[in-house]
Amino acid sequence: MVKVMMKFISAADKIFDAAIRYLCYLAAVILVLMSLSISLDVILRYTINNPLKWVFESTEYALLFITFLAATWVLKKDEHVKLDLALAALGPRLRAGINAFTSLIMAVVCLVITWSSVKYTIYLIQNDVTLIQYYTIPKFTIYVIIPIGFFLLFIQSLKRTYQYLRQI
């Protein structure tokens, strides 16, 4: 039974890692498309005085999606901004303990934000709230990435907590 459970956890871990890698690739594609559309907008604005009206709003939404699609991968790779000057002076076991504690706190915060954002997204769906700017779209289609992103961060934070606890 334990072997079966360990195989399941290992398979789920591989699937999760592949999923966040592909979400990061998707964020990169969105970033490239966003950059191209902004460049085209600038060229059209200054050459024929006819900018693309949809670029500004699309860029706002793209930045939100890029953030939440790539954040979990950045956390997994430990490439996020951090202030580790004080931690570098500590011993490896104490450093791992502090990192485990902060990762656990992060997991709790991410879970709370996931829950709150799921409730808000459900509210947007139930009340048919729309965004009316250049596009007229259901607001939940933009906000749905927030609970997804924070849930993925919650899982990655738990994985980090476990990894650091193994170092103690």
Side-chain angles (χ1 to χ4, degrees), residues 123-137:
Y123 165 82
L124 294 174
I125 294 168
Q126 289 174 340
N127 292 292
D128 198 27
V129 179
T130 57
L131 288 169
I132 303 172
Q133 290 178 346
Y134 182 78
Y135 304 114
T136 301
I137 56 174

Side-chain angles (χ1 to χ4, degrees), residues 1-9:
M1 182 66 172
V2 173
K3 278 187 174 183
V4 171
M5 186 61 100
M6 292 305 290
K7 282 185 179 183
F8 174 77
I9 291 171

Side-chain angles (χ1 to χ4, degrees), residues 19-156:
I20 63 172
R21 184 175 58 251
Y22 287 116
L23 290 175
C24 190
Y25 294 157
L26 178 59
V29 168
I30 293 171
L31 181 62
V32 168
L33 293 174
M34 184 181 75
S35 300
L36 292 173
S37 66
I38 290 170
S39 298
L40 180 60
D41 184 51
V42 169
I43 290 168
L44 293 175
R45 175 178 293 130
Y46 290 110
T47 57
I48 61 173
N49 198 24
N50 191 12
L52 302 170
K53 293 172 179 52
W54 53 268
V55 170
F56 184 75
E57 186 177 354
S58 299
T59 301
E60 290 178 331
Y61 302 149
L63 288 172
L64 181 69
F65 273 79
I66 289 167
T67 300
F68 286 105
L69 290 173
T72 306
W73 183 82
V74 171
L75 182 63
K76 176 184 174 32
K77 295 294 183 181
D78 206 26
E79 297 292 331
H80 52 88
V81 176
K82 56 187 169 189
L83 190 64
D84 60 353
L85 187 63
L87 285 178
L90 302 175
R93 291 183 61 166
L94 182 56
R95 183 173 43 237
I98 291 171
N99 283 332
F101 177 73
T102 58
S103 293
L104 184 60
I105 295 298
M106 181 180 173
V108 170
V109 169
C110 286
L111 187 60
V112 169
I113 295 173
T114 299
W115 175 249
S116 298
S117 59
V118 163
K119 286 180 11 183
Y120 183 64
T121 304
I122 291 169
Y123 165 82
L124 294 174
I125 294 168
Q126 289 174 340
N127 292 292
D128 198 27
V129 179
T130 57
L131 288 169
I132 303 172
Q133 290 178 346
Y134 182 78
Y135 304 114
T136 301
I137 56 174
K139 195 171 183 179
F140 84 90
T141 60
I142 303 301
Y143 282 78
V144 73
I145 194 63
I146 297 171
I148 292 169
F150 273 107
F151 183 70
L152 295 173
L153 283 168
F154 163 71
I155 293 170
Q156 186 60 42

